Amino acid sequence: MKIAIISTLTPAHPARKHGKRLDVKIFTQLYPGGPQYYCGNGKYCEDMEDVEAFIAEEAPDKISDERTIGGLKNEA
């Protein structure tokens, strides 16, 4: 099972200079309720459309959950 974690980049993050606002990471969970492991699969994205495209590319049938961190809904 794979889980997408989406967070907002801080204003000082270097990727902001290139128009990226969001960090999406794909975590792998071996069994429901078990620990989640980040294996280096992630991407900085400009908007939610980019995030959704990345998730569809990486695991179109395997993403079970999307969670946001860091006040993502307050970002314009």
Side-chain angles (χ1 to χ4, degrees), residues 4-69:
I5 306 293
I6 306 161
S7 58
T8 304
L9 295 174
T10 64
H13 195 285
R16 284 279 192 153
K17 293 178 184 176
H18 304 285
K20 310 299 182 184
R21 296 184 315 109
L22 305 172
D23 180 16
V24 59
K25 293 180 179 171
I26 306 293
F27 283 73
T28 301
Q29 188 174 42
L30 301 177
Y31 53 89
Q36 301 164 4
Y37 300 97
Y38 176 65
C39 302
N41 188 6
K43 182 177 180 181
Y44 298 130
C45 297
E46 292 180 13
D47 53 30
M48 285 303 292
E49 187 174 306
D50 290 343
V51 168
E52 291 168 5
F54 174 69
I55 290 171
E57 251 179 54
E58 293 303 310
D61 299 324
K62 299 178 185 173
I63 297 294
S64 66
D65 184 23
E66 292 182 29
R67 290 182 274 168
T68 58
I69 299 171

